[in-house]
Amino acid sequence: MKRKKYSIPSPRVSQRCNKVVDETENHELCPYFANIPSHLVVQILLQLPIKSLLICKCVCKMWKALISEPHFVKLHFHKTPVSLMIRTKDHRVSRTLHLLECEPEKFEIGSDNHVKLQPIFKLPLRDAKSLREKMMNKPKRPVRAVRLVLEKNTDKNSDGDSQMLNIDSKPYYDKFGVVNSCNGLLCLCCPFEGNPLVISNPVTGEFIRLPKSANAPSRVRKLEPVGFGFGFQPKTNEYMVIQIWNKYVRRSYTRVLERMIFEINTVGTLSWRNVEVDPQVSNSTLKYPTCLNGVIHWIRFEGQTQNRSILCFCLESERLQSFPSPPHVFRNHHTVSRNEPISMGESRGLLYICDRSSFHDVTMWVMKEYGIGESWTKVYNIDTSISALGRPDRWRCGLCWPLKHFEDGASLLLYHSCKCLIYFEPEKYGFKVFRIHGTDSEQVQIIPHTPSLVSLKDVVKGDNIEVLNIYSMCANVKLREENEVLSLSQQLV
Amino acid sequence: MAQEASSSTSSKTISLKTGDGEIFEIEASAAKQMKTVQRLIDDLGDDITIPLHNVFSKELPKIIEYYKKDITGEITKDFEAEFVKDLNDDEVKVLFLAANYLDANKLFEFLSQNIADRLESKSVEYVRKYFGVENDFTPEEESKLREERAWSFRGIKEDE
């Protein structure tokens, strides 16, 4: 049957391009992208790195809304490459995080080029409240902990911006440690005990303070930390924080374990809930919390023996149980001490363990099928004695992070002490050494963290907990060490 | 009839007519990649010249070039780099919108990545101009946003 007139394209297409139709009729005259439909803008925005999205947020209100929209944030997060946050590790407060997105291009720069580690994000100060109070009360005699030094070139007259005040801040009071990162959020903790205090998204600058638990350690109540973790429960779309403590009592000149405290807080609620678990765990230390598939995993170091195994806690069923670990990795090593580098993490949905199996060798294991012990595969065994450094180096820290999905072609980043990163790409060029420049600090801390624009306001859901923003709180507080711009450059050996 | 059709699909060409009246030929297998064209073919039959009102003679040849390479399976990083090398911003935008209209997925994704690459280190003003977008923030909001940006990119100038 012959059609009398040709059909117009299907409604879906015509709806999408009706604006285009208007434009292209006069396309010589109008700018092409004026009134471009927002879903096309979204297509382009999805391809941009976080750094550019932060700039695009400032373009106009609609773009700001598009970029903050939870669905967009989620889609974009899945496209973000594996990233690391780098911060200085020494006597400073170190609240500045420098982002390193681990894309291959960054490591293919020649030896003359520097890759700047940007953007830079800030963490809140642990004791910001009292610091600000000190700032407000101008003391008659200089307080030793706080010295106010006006920055030399303040543009306070031209822009009306507040003066930048350089503050001498004490790490003892103000520094945060990091528990772990999950879905673009960082869980910050007290650097001494390790107990979680704050959940923050360094990219948006938002943070919330976790509620105090009735069972938390205090001046009167001393508790021994066992383990902490931060994770995401996909079924209920909630974030949970866990703290595990041991409480001892004195019995005739020794201390006896009275009980183990295992508490969970659902982020956004005001209280901690007690959970009954097997108290066997109390004689161990749990480290390297990693959340995957709604389960928080730890490497468990057992009491006297220091036997290592993997322990996991399912956020849905609230059960603590052991988890299959890679064979041979966790056997009794007589020389293994608690300080021997080992790490666990997750990358692109796969659990990995990196350890030093011998003096020279760094091994990376990946669990190819979640939950199946036999699927632990030794992916790399790197003999670092013949690394690009050209000489055996005793002070290697053999921790590594997988940067690419192993099927895509392998690449790894090894952290060497003294601010060096070793990029290992077995197929293309083996080892390449990169050095971090721009800081006086002798060491850096690497935090695996993939940035996301997720807003804590969407996480917290409700008004119980106030979402604070670092930019509105500490905008005019600048720490003395915060003039540094870090960059990465290849070191030829 | 059916036999004849199947044996000649690989070399069958479709005629496309642009909005400004020019006619271009494209292989049937390449036309398949452009869903809009395929839909029109399904409706109108493949003997008729397919009208494309919103695509013009400036951009269609480039699109055809891309899909010609695609059906031979030869699209490499080098080819893609070469493809966009001499395109100025306006040309890329036009191709992007045309690829959207034609529902040509592969080209559309490639071009959206290319536009994103072009915007990557640019300033807010540049992006606004590129998209013809007006700044509708109040001065207070604007300065607050600028302050936040100044922290993130401290010491690093945004390219113009």
Side-chain angles (χ1 to χ4, degrees):
Chain A
M1 183 169 140
K2 200 179 168 200
R3 283 179 192 253
K4 295 222 176 102
K5 57 175 184 182
Y6 48 75
S7 56
I8 41 177
S10 71
R12 187 169 67 89
V13 175
S14 69
Q15 185 197 356
R16 263 205 325 224
C17 65
N18 56 3
K19 299 233 179 192
V20 176
V21 171
D22 294 337
E23 287 308 316
T24 49
E25 278 174 39
N26 310 319
H27 78 292
E28 287 93 9
L29 306 171
C30 301
Y32 301 102
F33 273 8
N35 303 316
I36 183 178
S38 61
H39 74 272
L40 292 184
V41 173
V42 165
Q43 265 302 313
I44 298 174
L45 292 177
L46 276 177
Q47 319 279 9
L48 285 171
I50 283 262
K51 174 178 112 189
S52 304
L53 280 185
L54 291 175
I55 292 177
C56 287
K57 247 184 148 175
C58 308
V59 163
C60 69
K61 285 186 182 167
M62 188 183 87
W63 280 43
K64 186 160 187 253
L66 280 177
I67 293 173
S68 314
E69 205 259 304
H71 186 63
F72 174 85
V73 162
K74 199 168 169 188
L75 277 177
H76 188 266
F77 180 67
H78 288 306
K79 289 181 148 226
T80 307
V82 173
S83 312
L84 306 169
M85 292 288 203
I86 298 177
R87 74 169 179 178
T88 53
K89 178 181 172 180
D90 56 7
H91 54 279
R92 302 175 231 201
V93 175
S94 304
R95 66 165 177 165
T96 310
L97 298 176
H98 304 258
L99 177 66
L100 173 62
E101 277 170 320
C102 299
E103 295 159 310
E105 303 84 60
K106 292 237 160 69
F107 301 104
E108 269 152 35
I109 55 174
S111 51
D112 292 327
N113 294 328
H114 282 241
V115 172
K116 289 209 178 89
L117 295 182
Q118 51 156 314
I120 303 167
F121 304 110
K122 281 193 307 187
L123 297 175
L125 294 172
R126 200 152 41 96
D127 198 21
K129 194 170 160 199
S130 60
L131 196 65
R132 279 161 73 218
E133 277 164 13
K134 286 174 192 156
M135 273 168 59
M136 298 306 168
N137 314 327
K138 298 186 176 76
K140 292 205 184 104
R141 267 183 305 163
V143 177
R144 244 188 268 148
V146 178
R147 269 185 286 147
L148 302 176
V149 175
L150 291 177
E151 187 155 296
K152 279 180 195 162
N153 307 313
T154 2
D155 267 314
K156 59 181 166 157
N157 295 321
S158 49
D159 297 334
D161 289 341
S162 34
Q163 283 179 329
M164 291 289 207
L165 299 166
N166 271 351
I167 298 287
D168 214 13
S169 187
K170 287 258 179 277
Y172 186 85
Y173 298 109
D174 293 311
K175 185 170 184 173
F176 271 118
V178 176
V179 178
N180 63 312
S181 158
C182 178
N183 284 1
L185 298 178
L186 270 183
C187 180
L188 304 173
C189 64
C190 166
F192 314 112
E193 309 263 283
N195 54 312
L197 296 172
V198 159
I199 306 290
S200 104
N201 182 348
V203 173
T204 60
E206 293 166 325
F207 65 99
I208 59 165
R209 290 195 194 272
L210 292 168
K212 275 205 160 63
S213 155
N215 286 317
S218 62
R219 259 193 359 243
V220 203
R221 195 188 306 119
K222 294 281 180 229
L223 300 175
E224 181 187 68
V226 175
F228 309 98
F230 171 57
F232 177 65
Q233 223 282 60
K235 297 228 170 104
T236 54
N237 209 27
E238 288 171 331
Y239 287 87
M240 329 273 265
V241 189
I242 292 181
Q243 54 182 7
I244 313 171
W245 304 93
N246 280 338
K247 181 157 186 247
Y248 290 91
V249 280
R250 280 201 171 283
R251 291 273 148 82
S252 49
Y253 305 108
T254 59
R255 59 171 205 170
V256 166
L257 179 69
E258 183 195 88
R259 64 186 175 111
M260 188 176 83
I261 300 169
F262 191 112
E263 291 190 320
I264 297 187
N265 169 263
T266 304
V267 174
T269 62
L270 289 167
S271 59
W272 291 82
R273 221 170 9 101
N274 207 24
V275 175
E276 288 297 324
V277 293
D278 181 4
Q280 274 265 322
V281 183
S282 59
N283 72 339
S284 22
T285 309
L286 304 176
K287 286 189 164 186
Y288 309 106
T290 306
C291 182
L292 184 61
N293 300 335
V295 178
I296 299 184
H297 311 73
W298 291 274
I299 296 187
R300 175 186 180 183
F301 297 82
E302 260 176 274
Q304 306 291 68
T305 59
Q306 288 294 293
N307 278 344
R308 302 185 296 188
S309 58
I310 303 180
L311 193 69
C312 71
F313 181 77
C314 173
L315 291 172
E316 192 189 356
S317 63
E318 297 196 347
R319 280 182 56 210
L320 196 63
Q321 53 202 38
S322 70
F323 190 82
S325 52
H328 316 301
V329 173
F330 288 166
R331 291 273 166 81
N332 297 343
H333 289 228
H334 295 294
T335 52
V336 167
S337 74
R338 210 180 277 213
N339 296 321
E340 195 66 31
I342 183 170
S343 72
M344 177 166 74
E346 77 77 26
S347 176
R348 302 243 192 268
L350 297 179
L351 210 56
Y352 70 85
I353 286 187
C354 174
D355 92 317
R356 201 168 341 154
S357 49
S358 72
F359 189 64
H360 295 301
D361 294 344
V362 170
T363 320
M364 162 122 356
W365 295 81
V366 170
M367 182 178 241
K368 295 218 159 148
E369 282 173 63
Y370 183 74
I372 302 191
E374 290 78 32
S375 74
W376 275 110
T377 317
K378 187 192 285 200
V379 186
Y380 291 116
N381 193 0
I382 303 170
D383 184 353
T384 53
S385 64
I386 52 167
S387 76
L389 293 171
R391 49 184 162 79
D393 201 321
R394 286 197 69 215
W395 311 110
R396 272 187 299 278
C397 294
L399 297 181
C400 37
W401 299 270
L403 297 183
K404 276 205 278 188
H405 213 267
F406 299 101
E407 279 96 58
D408 291 347
S411 54
L412 276 193
L413 206 56
L414 285 157
Y415 169 57
H416 189 285
S417 52
C418 308
K419 303 185 294 188
C420 273
L421 295 171
I422 302 175
Y423 183 65
F424 177 58
E425 228 282 10
E427 271 159 53
K428 284 195 190 163
Y429 32 68
F431 289 98
K432 261 195 195 177
V433 181
F434 288 86
R435 216 192 171 91
I436 297 175
H437 298 271
T439 174
D440 293 332
S441 164
E442 277 175 17
Q443 287 195 322
V444 293
Q445 181 190 11
I446 311 260
I447 304 164
H449 173 82
T450 304
S452 151
L453 290 156
V454 66
S455 168
L456 277 177
K457 295 193 184 111
D458 294 324
V459 167
V460 161
K461 297 181 230 192
D463 292 326
N464 288 324
I465 304 260
E466 196 192 345
V467 176
L468 304 161
N469 195 302
I470 194 174
Y471 294 112
S472 47
M473 292 185 79
C474 312
N476 56 353
V477 172
K478 192 171 176 190
L479 302 187
R480 186 165 270 119
E481 70 249 22
E482 286 175 351
N483 284 318
E484 292 176 340
V485 175
L486 297 193
S487 61
L488 203 67
S489 79
Q490 189 181 351
Q491 182 139 311
L492 289 180
V493 185
Chain B
M1 265 300 256
Q3 262 179 321
E4 198 184 300
S6 62
S7 62
S8 61
T9 17
S10 51
S11 53
K12 180 133 179 90
T13 57
I14 311 280
S15 299
L16 301 174
K17 184 170 172 187
T18 65
D20 50 349
E22 282 197 42
I23 298 190
F24 294 90
E25 301 284 317
I26 185 175
E27 318 256 320
S29 43
K32 250 203 164 84
Q33 303 294 329
M34 304 183 217
K35 299 209 192 94
T36 305
V37 174
Q38 189 57 51
R39 267 193 288 271
L40 288 169
I41 293 175
D42 292 340
D43 286 344
L44 304 173
D46 51 10
D47 295 323
I48 296 185
T49 303
I50 308 289
L52 298 172
H53 293 295
N54 289 321
V55 186
F56 297 85
S57 51
K58 250 187 122 186
E59 54 265 22
L60 191 56
K62 202 78 172 141
I63 298 175
I64 293 178
E65 181 195 327
Y66 185 87
Y67 277 103
K68 227 185 189 143
K69 243 338 194 344
D70 184 43
I71 51 177
T72 61
E74 274 172 37
I75 294 205
T76 59
K77 281 260 176 327
D78 289 334
F79 170 76
E80 289 186 329
E82 196 59 40
F83 189 81
V84 288
K85 198 170 73 155
D86 296 319
L87 294 176
N88 66 26
D89 285 341
D90 286 342
E91 288 167 342
V92 166
K93 287 178 195 175
V94 166
L95 277 175
F96 174 74
L97 293 172
N100 173 50
Y101 171 74
L102 293 171
D103 208 348
N105 215 22
K106 207 162 171 187
L107 181 63
F108 179 73
E109 279 187 20
F110 167 54
L111 289 173
S112 57
Q113 179 68 65
N114 186 252
I115 293 179
D117 292 342
R118 285 166 192 246
L119 293 174
E120 214 179 286
S121 294
K122 299 291 193 278
S123 66
V124 180
E125 284 74 36
Y126 185 95
V127 177
R128 281 187 190 135
K129 256 202 328 230
Y130 195 94
F131 283 84
V133 166
E134 278 204 25
N135 176 16
D136 56 354
F137 286 116
T138 66
E140 296 84 37
E141 290 171 333
E142 176 86 45
S143 74
K144 194 170 147 217
L145 289 168
R146 185 178 301 136
E147 212 170 87
E148 287 179 22
R149 269 200 338 268
W151 273 109
S152 301
F153 296 97
R154 185 184 65 233
I156 297 146
K157 279 200 156 34
E158 296 167 9
D159 301 339
E160 271 309 311

